[in-house]
Amino acid sequence: MSNIDHIIKKIEAVDLKDEKAIEILENILSSNINKLPIFLTSFAVGKSLIRTRFLSDKEDFHHSIADFSYNPNPMYVKIGRVNYCEQQIFYGSRFRATSLGEIRFIYANKVNNKARFSIGKWEVKRKLRLAAIISPELINHHNAEELFGLAEFIKETEEKFINKEEFKEYIEIYKYIAKKFTEPIQENEEYKYKITAVFSNFIFSKFKDIDGIIYQSVQYPVHFNIALKKNVIDLNQIQLTNASKQTFAIENKIHFKEQETIEASKIDYVTNLINW
């Protein structure tokens, strides 16, 4: 058994429902992994990200720019794919369908006849530096064209250093992380996010100058999601350029049919308010 296999067995043996699970996982990583294999990529100025948020029956619209961003109240932030509880992270998808798919999956059991979402389009104003947690095999399997270049680079790097034992171990742990990032997490199973959240924060601690993490969408694996540190938004390195509210009729827990779209009349960066 390789050293990495031993580490993975340790991680898999952790009871994720245990209150100390995060602490235990952090100790496993800090004690056993000095270097973490990360492939860095960039996200260009002018590209856009879509952020969708669920609207409850008590809400008419989201009215501020912050409402379309990361959750402005850390007390309400639950553990997620990349974040700990109370850790504010901006989650965006490359396309609207991906963003809606991710959020519909999370809230499928909370709605009956219709569902409403606020959707914000954010434009990149400064080139973003991202850690890529992806599987080249899955990229090719799902024909995820936008990630072909990155997948090819990872495969070429793997082939170049395949005979170096240390690099082989890096690739083992990298593949393990990538697999965890593609696991679907059902509502009330949020404790399963602990592994990817710990890995994400381990990455942030080792690569302090990166802006976030790019990973393959679970619901739409042909596309990808990006999780950004809150300071990227706070420093206006991405900006909200379009806001809308959409209502969908629910045909079943999987199929939603669009009923209505309402576009914001103005996004005011002076007052930080959305005008409808």
Side-chain angles (χ1 to χ4, degrees), residues 234-260:
D234 295 343
L235 297 174
N236 290 322
Q237 292 168 352
I238 67 171
Q239 289 188 340
L240 184 68
T241 57
N242 181 269
S244 63
K245 185 196 80 167
Q246 290 192 304
T247 302
F248 292 82
I250 301 176
E251 298 176 342
N252 55 52
K253 293 299 181 184
I254 300 175
H255 296 98
F256 286 39
K257 183 177 181 181
E258 185 177 334
Q259 280 189 330
E260 180 184 40

PDB file of all heavy atoms in Angstrom, residues 234-260:
ATOM      1  N   ASP A 234     -15.569  41.725  -2.933  1.00  0.00           N
ATOM      2  CA  ASP A 234     -15.432  42.945  -2.138  1.00  0.00           C
ATOM      3  C   ASP A 234     -14.586  43.994  -2.847  1.00  0.00           C
ATOM      4  O   ASP A 234     -14.813  45.206  -2.697  1.00  0.00           O
ATOM      5  CB  ASP A 234     -14.821  42.629  -0.768  1.00  0.00           C
ATOM      6  CG  ASP A 234     -15.721  41.744   0.087  1.00  0.00           C
ATOM      7  OD1 ASP A 234     -16.924  41.635  -0.236  1.00  0.00           O
ATOM      8  OD2 ASP A 234     -15.215  41.165   1.067  1.00  0.00           O
ATOM      9  N   LEU A 235     -13.598  43.562  -3.617  1.00  0.00           N
ATOM     10  CA  LEU A 235     -12.713  44.470  -4.341  1.00  0.00           C
ATOM     11  C   LEU A 235     -13.195  44.740  -5.758  1.00  0.00           C
ATOM     12  O   LEU A 235     -12.464  45.308  -6.578  1.00  0.00           O
ATOM     13  CB  LEU A 235     -11.288  43.897  -4.372  1.00  0.00           C
ATOM     14  CG  LEU A 235     -10.608  43.737  -3.003  1.00  0.00           C
ATOM     15  CD1 LEU A 235      -9.265  43.031  -3.141  1.00  0.00           C
ATOM     16  CD2 LEU A 235     -10.422  45.101  -2.334  1.00  0.00           C
ATOM     17  N   ASN A 236     -14.440  44.311  -6.058  1.00  0.00           N
ATOM     18  CA  ASN A 236     -15.055  44.541  -7.375  1.00  0.00           C
ATOM     19  C   ASN A 236     -14.237  43.965  -8.523  1.00  0.00           C
ATOM     20  O   ASN A 236     -14.199  44.523  -9.624  1.00  0.00           O
ATOM     21  CB  ASN A 236     -15.288  46.042  -7.616  1.00  0.00           C
ATOM     22  CG  ASN A 236     -16.380  46.601  -6.721  1.00  0.00           C
ATOM     23  OD1 ASN A 236     -17.380  45.933  -6.461  1.00  0.00           O
ATOM     24  ND2 ASN A 236     -16.182  47.819  -6.240  1.00  0.00           N
ATOM     25  N   GLN A 237     -13.570  42.835  -8.265  1.00  0.00           N
ATOM     26  CA  GLN A 237     -12.817  42.177  -9.328  1.00  0.00           C
ATOM     27  C   GLN A 237     -13.741  41.389 -10.261  1.00  0.00           C
ATOM     28  O   GLN A 237     -13.346  41.012 -11.354  1.00  0.00           O
ATOM     29  CB  GLN A 237     -11.740  41.289  -8.703  1.00  0.00           C
ATOM     30  CG  GLN A 237     -10.667  42.128  -8.018  1.00  0.00           C
ATOM     31  CD  GLN A 237      -9.742  41.327  -7.138  1.00  0.00           C
ATOM     32  OE1 GLN A 237      -9.949  40.144  -6.896  1.00  0.00           O
ATOM     33  NE2 GLN A 237      -8.704  41.976  -6.623  1.00  0.00           N
ATOM     34  N   ILE A 238     -14.947  41.117  -9.797  1.00  0.00           N
ATOM     35  CA  ILE A 238     -16.042  40.743 -10.679  1.00  0.00           C
ATOM     36  C   ILE A 238     -17.216  41.646 -10.307  1.00  0.00           C
ATOM     37  O   ILE A 238     -17.350  42.043  -9.147  1.00  0.00           O
ATOM     38  CB  ILE A 238     -16.438  39.246 -10.568  1.00  0.00           C
ATOM     39  CG1 ILE A 238     -17.041  38.919  -9.195  1.00  0.00           C
ATOM     40  CG2 ILE A 238     -15.248  38.346 -10.856  1.00  0.00           C
ATOM     41  CD1 ILE A 238     -17.640  37.525  -9.128  1.00  0.00           C
ATOM     42  N   GLN A 239     -18.037  41.994 -11.290  1.00  0.00           N
ATOM     43  CA  GLN A 239     -19.138  42.926 -11.031  1.00  0.00           C
ATOM     44  C   GLN A 239     -20.444  42.408 -11.615  1.00  0.00           C
ATOM     45  O   GLN A 239     -20.463  41.801 -12.702  1.00  0.00           O
ATOM     46  CB  GLN A 239     -18.832  44.302 -11.623  1.00  0.00           C
ATOM     47  CG  GLN A 239     -17.746  45.063 -10.889  1.00  0.00           C
ATOM     48  CD  GLN A 239     -17.596  46.493 -11.390  1.00  0.00           C
ATOM     49  OE1 GLN A 239     -18.025  46.824 -12.489  1.00  0.00           O
ATOM     50  NE2 GLN A 239     -16.975  47.344 -10.584  1.00  0.00           N
ATOM     51  N   LEU A 240     -21.520  42.663 -10.872  1.00  0.00           N
ATOM     52  CA  LEU A 240     -22.853  42.280 -11.325  1.00  0.00           C
ATOM     53  C   LEU A 240     -23.261  43.185 -12.483  1.00  0.00           C
ATOM     54  O   LEU A 240     -23.280  44.407 -12.362  1.00  0.00           O
ATOM     55  CB  LEU A 240     -23.848  42.422 -10.172  1.00  0.00           C
ATOM     56  CG  LEU A 240     -25.279  41.963 -10.441  1.00  0.00           C
ATOM     57  CD1 LEU A 240     -25.333  40.445 -10.626  1.00  0.00           C
ATOM     58  CD2 LEU A 240     -26.196  42.381  -9.281  1.00  0.00           C
ATOM     59  N   THR A 241     -23.576  42.576 -13.636  1.00  0.00           N
ATOM     60  CA  THR A 241     -23.935  43.361 -14.820  1.00  0.00           C
ATOM     61  C   THR A 241     -25.378  43.139 -15.261  1.00  0.00           C
ATOM     62  O   THR A 241     -25.897  43.883 -16.082  1.00  0.00           O
ATOM     63  CB  THR A 241     -23.002  43.022 -16.004  1.00  0.00           C
ATOM     64  OG1 THR A 241     -23.071  41.608 -16.263  1.00  0.00           O
ATOM     65  CG2 THR A 241     -21.569  43.414 -15.687  1.00  0.00           C
ATOM     66  N   ASN A 242     -26.020  42.097 -14.737  1.00  0.00           N
ATOM     67  CA  ASN A 242     -27.408  41.825 -15.093  1.00  0.00           C
ATOM     68  C   ASN A 242     -28.066  41.056 -13.951  1.00  0.00           C
ATOM     69  O   ASN A 242     -27.457  40.180 -13.358  1.00  0.00           O
ATOM     70  CB  ASN A 242     -27.477  41.004 -16.394  1.00  0.00           C
ATOM     71  CG  ASN A 242     -28.903  40.723 -16.824  1.00  0.00           C
ATOM     72  OD1 ASN A 242     -29.476  39.708 -16.445  1.00  0.00           O
ATOM     73  ND2 ASN A 242     -29.484  41.612 -17.609  1.00  0.00           N
ATOM     74  N   ALA A 243     -29.330  41.429 -13.665  1.00  0.00           N
ATOM     75  CA  ALA A 243     -30.065  40.743 -12.604  1.00  0.00           C
ATOM     76  C   ALA A 243     -31.473  40.448 -13.081  1.00  0.00           C
ATOM     77  O   ALA A 243     -32.093  41.260 -13.778  1.00  0.00           O
ATOM     78  CB  ALA A 243     -30.101  41.599 -11.336  1.00  0.00           C
ATOM     79  N   SER A 244     -31.987  39.288 -12.705  1.00  0.00           N
ATOM     80  CA  SER A 244     -33.346  38.920 -13.106  1.00  0.00           C
ATOM     81  C   SER A 244     -33.956  37.987 -12.077  1.00  0.00           C
ATOM     82  O   SER A 244     -33.254  37.425 -11.223  1.00  0.00           O
ATOM     83  CB  SER A 244     -33.348  38.246 -14.483  1.00  0.00           C
ATOM     84  OG  SER A 244     -32.618  37.028 -14.443  1.00  0.00           O
ATOM     85  N   LYS A 245     -35.276  37.855 -12.165  1.00  0.00           N
ATOM     86  CA  LYS A 245     -35.987  36.875 -11.355  1.00  0.00           C
ATOM     87  C   LYS A 245     -36.755  35.967 -12.297  1.00  0.00           C
ATOM     88  O   LYS A 245     -37.406  36.442 -13.238  1.00  0.00           O
ATOM     89  CB  LYS A 245     -36.961  37.550 -10.391  1.00  0.00           C
ATOM     90  CG  LYS A 245     -37.642  36.558  -9.449  1.00  0.00           C
ATOM     91  CD  LYS A 245     -38.863  37.137  -8.774  1.00  0.00           C
ATOM     92  CE  LYS A 245     -40.063  37.091  -9.710  1.00  0.00           C
ATOM     93  NZ  LYS A 245     -41.345  37.366  -9.009  1.00  0.00           N
ATOM     94  N   GLN A 246     -36.673  34.675 -12.064  1.00  0.00           N
ATOM     95  CA  GLN A 246     -37.375  33.718 -12.914  1.00  0.00           C
ATOM     96  C   GLN A 246     -38.279  32.818 -12.079  1.00  0.00           C
ATOM     97  O   GLN A 246     -37.914  32.407 -10.976  1.00  0.00           O
ATOM     98  CB  GLN A 246     -36.391  32.870 -13.715  1.00  0.00           C
ATOM     99  CG  GLN A 246     -35.674  33.670 -14.806  1.00  0.00           C
ATOM    100  CD  GLN A 246     -34.934  32.774 -15.761  1.00  0.00           C
ATOM    101  OE1 GLN A 246     -34.098  31.991 -15.358  1.00  0.00           O
ATOM    102  NE2 GLN A 246     -35.239  32.881 -17.035  1.00  0.00           N
ATOM    103  N   THR A 247     -39.445  32.541 -12.626  1.00  0.00           N
ATOM    104  CA  THR A 247     -40.396  31.631 -11.989  1.00  0.00           C
ATOM    105  C   THR A 247     -40.553  30.395 -12.865  1.00  0.00           C
ATOM    106  O   THR A 247     -40.708  30.504 -14.085  1.00  0.00           O
ATOM    107  CB  THR A 247     -41.766  32.306 -11.803  1.00  0.00           C
ATOM    108  OG1 THR A 247     -41.596  33.488 -11.018  1.00  0.00           O
ATOM    109  CG2 THR A 247     -42.741  31.380 -11.090  1.00  0.00           C
ATOM    110  N   PHE A 248     -40.518  29.240 -12.238  1.00  0.00           N
ATOM    111  CA  PHE A 248     -40.629  27.971 -12.954  1.00  0.00           C
ATOM    112  C   PHE A 248     -41.778  27.152 -12.386  1.00  0.00           C
ATOM    113  O   PHE A 248     -41.953  27.083 -11.167  1.00  0.00           O
ATOM    114  CB  PHE A 248     -39.332  27.160 -12.839  1.00  0.00           C
ATOM    115  CG  PHE A 248     -38.165  27.750 -13.540  1.00  0.00           C
ATOM    116  CD1 PHE A 248     -37.413  28.757 -12.954  1.00  0.00           C
ATOM    117  CD2 PHE A 248     -37.799  27.314 -14.804  1.00  0.00           C
ATOM    118  CE1 PHE A 248     -36.320  29.310 -13.598  1.00  0.00           C
ATOM    119  CE2 PHE A 248     -36.707  27.859 -15.459  1.00  0.00           C
ATOM    120  CZ  PHE A 248     -35.968  28.853 -14.859  1.00  0.00           C
ATOM    121  N   ALA A 249     -42.561  26.556 -13.265  1.00  0.00           N
ATOM    122  CA  ALA A 249     -43.549  25.562 -12.850  1.00  0.00           C
ATOM    123  C   ALA A 249     -42.835  24.226 -12.728  1.00  0.00           C
ATOM    124  O   ALA A 249     -41.967  23.890 -13.540  1.00  0.00           O
ATOM    125  CB  ALA A 249     -44.670  25.466 -13.871  1.00  0.00           C
ATOM    126  N   ILE A 250     -43.201  23.476 -11.713  1.00  0.00           N
ATOM    127  CA  ILE A 250     -42.536  22.203 -11.467  1.00  0.00           C
ATOM    128  C   ILE A 250     -43.386  21.068 -12.007  1.00  0.00           C
ATOM    129  O   ILE A 250     -44.496  20.826 -11.533  1.00  0.00           O
ATOM    130  CB  ILE A 250     -42.270  22.011  -9.971  1.00  0.00           C
ATOM    131  CG1 ILE A 250     -41.395  23.163  -9.457  1.00  0.00           C
ATOM    132  CG2 ILE A 250     -41.611  20.671  -9.702  1.00  0.00           C
ATOM    133  CD1 ILE A 250     -41.150  23.126  -7.975  1.00  0.00           C
ATOM    134  N   GLU A 251     -42.866  20.382 -13.008  1.00  0.00           N
ATOM    135  CA  GLU A 251     -43.574  19.250 -13.585  1.00  0.00           C
ATOM    136  C   GLU A 251     -43.297  17.990 -12.769  1.00  0.00           C
ATOM    137  O   GLU A 251     -44.151  17.128 -12.647  1.00  0.00           O
ATOM    138  CB  GLU A 251     -43.159  19.082 -15.047  1.00  0.00           C
ATOM    139  CG  GLU A 251     -43.533  20.310 -15.897  1.00  0.00           C
ATOM    140  CD  GLU A 251     -43.040  20.183 -17.325  1.00  0.00           C
ATOM    141  OE1 GLU A 251     -42.148  19.352 -17.590  1.00  0.00           O
ATOM    142  OE2 GLU A 251     -43.539  20.931 -18.179  1.00  0.00           O
ATOM    143  N   ASN A 252     -42.092  17.875 -12.257  1.00  0.00           N
ATOM    144  CA  ASN A 252     -41.721  16.860 -11.267  1.00  0.00           C
ATOM    145  C   ASN A 252     -40.451  17.360 -10.603  1.00  0.00           C
ATOM    146  O   ASN A 252     -40.037  18.486 -10.840  1.00  0.00           O
ATOM    147  CB  ASN A 252     -41.552  15.465 -11.900  1.00  0.00           C
ATOM    148  CG  ASN A 252     -40.557  15.483 -13.047  1.00  0.00           C
ATOM    149  OD1 ASN A 252     -39.439  15.969 -12.891  1.00  0.00           O
ATOM    150  ND2 ASN A 252     -40.960  14.953 -14.194  1.00  0.00           N
ATOM    151  N   LYS A 253     -39.849  16.572  -9.754  1.00  0.00           N
ATOM    152  CA  LYS A 253     -38.689  17.047  -9.011  1.00  0.00           C
ATOM    153  C   LYS A 253     -37.469  17.281  -9.893  1.00  0.00           C
ATOM    154  O   LYS A 253     -36.500  17.885  -9.462  1.00  0.00           O
ATOM    155  CB  LYS A 253     -38.339  16.041  -7.901  1.00  0.00           C
ATOM    156  CG  LYS A 253     -39.389  15.955  -6.798  1.00  0.00           C
ATOM    157  CD  LYS A 253     -39.569  17.295  -6.086  1.00  0.00           C
ATOM    158  CE  LYS A 253     -40.591  17.193  -4.967  1.00  0.00           C
ATOM    159  NZ  LYS A 253     -40.841  18.494  -4.323  1.00  0.00           N
ATOM    160  N   ILE A 254     -37.531  16.824 -11.126  1.00  0.00           N
ATOM    161  CA  ILE A 254     -36.396  16.987 -12.035  1.00  0.00           C
ATOM    162  C   ILE A 254     -36.679  18.054 -13.082  1.00  0.00           C
ATOM    163  O   ILE A 254     -35.830  18.874 -13.409  1.00  0.00           O
ATOM    164  CB  ILE A 254     -36.046  15.645 -12.723  1.00  0.00           C
ATOM    165  CG1 ILE A 254     -35.668  14.599 -11.678  1.00  0.00           C
ATOM    166  CG2 ILE A 254     -34.921  15.828 -13.729  1.00  0.00           C
ATOM    167  CD1 ILE A 254     -35.430  13.224 -12.241  1.00  0.00           C
ATOM    168  N   HIS A 255     -37.900  18.070 -13.632  1.00  0.00           N
ATOM    169  CA  HIS A 255     -38.218  18.955 -14.750  1.00  0.00           C
ATOM    170  C   HIS A 255     -38.943  20.218 -14.290  1.00  0.00           C
ATOM    171  O   HIS A 255     -39.981  20.144 -13.635  1.00  0.00           O
ATOM    172  CB  HIS A 255     -39.054  18.208 -15.792  1.00  0.00           C
ATOM    173  CG  HIS A 255     -38.328  17.061 -16.422  1.00  0.00           C
ATOM    174  ND1 HIS A 255     -38.497  15.754 -16.008  1.00  0.00           N
ATOM    175  CD2 HIS A 255     -37.412  17.032 -17.419  1.00  0.00           C
ATOM    176  CE1 HIS A 255     -37.728  14.964 -16.733  1.00  0.00           C
ATOM    177  NE2 HIS A 255     -37.056  15.715 -17.596  1.00  0.00           N
ATOM    178  N   PHE A 256     -38.374  21.360 -14.656  1.00  0.00           N
ATOM    179  CA  PHE A 256     -38.943  22.665 -14.366  1.00  0.00           C
ATOM    180  C   PHE A 256     -39.238  23.361 -15.703  1.00  0.00           C
ATOM    181  O   PHE A 256     -38.432  23.304 -16.623  1.00  0.00           O
ATOM    182  CB  PHE A 256     -37.948  23.537 -13.589  1.00  0.00           C
ATOM    183  CG  PHE A 256     -37.760  23.157 -12.142  1.00  0.00           C
ATOM    184  CD1 PHE A 256     -37.721  21.840 -11.714  1.00  0.00           C
ATOM    185  CD2 PHE A 256     -37.599  24.152 -11.185  1.00  0.00           C
ATOM    186  CE1 PHE A 256     -37.524  21.503 -10.397  1.00  0.00           C
ATOM    187  CE2 PHE A 256     -37.397  23.837  -9.850  1.00  0.00           C
ATOM    188  CZ  PHE A 256     -37.356  22.514  -9.462  1.00  0.00           C
ATOM    189  N   LYS A 257     -40.393  24.025 -15.795  1.00  0.00           N
ATOM    190  CA  LYS A 257     -40.749  24.746 -17.011  1.00  0.00           C
ATOM    191  C   LYS A 257     -40.830  26.233 -16.704  1.00  0.00           C
ATOM    192  O   LYS A 257     -41.549  26.666 -15.811  1.00  0.00           O
ATOM    193  CB  LYS A 257     -42.101  24.254 -17.556  1.00  0.00           C
ATOM    194  CG  LYS A 257     -42.500  24.911 -18.867  1.00  0.00           C
ATOM    195  CD  LYS A 257     -43.813  24.332 -19.382  1.00  0.00           C
ATOM    196  CE  LYS A 257     -44.211  24.968 -20.702  1.00  0.00           C
ATOM    197  NZ  LYS A 257     -45.500  24.431 -21.194  1.00  0.00           N
ATOM    198  N   GLU A 258     -40.074  27.029 -17.470  1.00  0.00           N
ATOM    199  CA  GLU A 258     -40.025  28.474 -17.228  1.00  0.00           C
ATOM    200  C   GLU A 258     -41.383  29.118 -17.473  1.00  0.00           C
ATOM    201  O   GLU A 258     -42.010  28.907 -18.504  1.00  0.00           O
ATOM    202  CB  GLU A 258     -38.971  29.111 -18.123  1.00  0.00           C
ATOM    203  CG  GLU A 258     -38.753  30.592 -17.851  1.00  0.00           C
ATOM    204  CD  GLU A 258     -37.640  31.182 -18.700  1.00  0.00           C
ATOM    205  OE1 GLU A 258     -36.732  30.424 -19.107  1.00  0.00           O
ATOM    206  OE2 GLU A 258     -37.690  32.386 -18.963  1.00  0.00           O
ATOM    207  N   GLN A 259     -41.836  29.928 -16.505  1.00  0.00           N
ATOM    208  CA  GLN A 259     -43.115  30.631 -16.611  1.00  0.00           C
ATOM    209  C   GLN A 259     -42.940  32.124 -16.833  1.00  0.00           C
ATOM    210  O   GLN A 259     -43.656  32.735 -17.621  1.00  0.00           O
ATOM    211  CB  GLN A 259     -43.941  30.428 -15.331  1.00  0.00           C
ATOM    212  CG  GLN A 259     -44.673  29.118 -15.245  1.00  0.00           C
ATOM    213  CD  GLN A 259     -45.632  29.092 -14.070  1.00  0.00           C
ATOM    214  OE1 GLN A 259     -45.416  29.724 -13.048  1.00  0.00           O
ATOM    215  NE2 GLN A 259     -46.709  28.339 -14.200  1.00  0.00           N
ATOM    216  N   GLU A 260     -41.992  32.729 -16.110  1.00  0.00           N
ATOM    217  CA  GLU A 260     -41.880  34.187 -16.142  1.00  0.00           C
ATOM    218  C   GLU A 260     -40.444  34.613 -15.878  1.00  0.00           C
ATOM    219  O   GLU A 260     -39.737  34.012 -15.070  1.00  0.00           O
ATOM    220  CB  GLU A 260     -42.805  34.795 -15.080  1.00  0.00           C
ATOM    221  CG  GLU A 260     -42.780  36.316 -15.020  1.00  0.00           C
ATOM    222  CD  GLU A 260     -43.631  36.859 -13.886  1.00  0.00           C
ATOM    223  OE1 GLU A 260     -43.608  36.257 -12.785  1.00  0.00           O
ATOM    224  OE2 GLU A 260     -44.309  37.877 -14.087  1.00  0.00           O
TER     225      GLU A 260
END
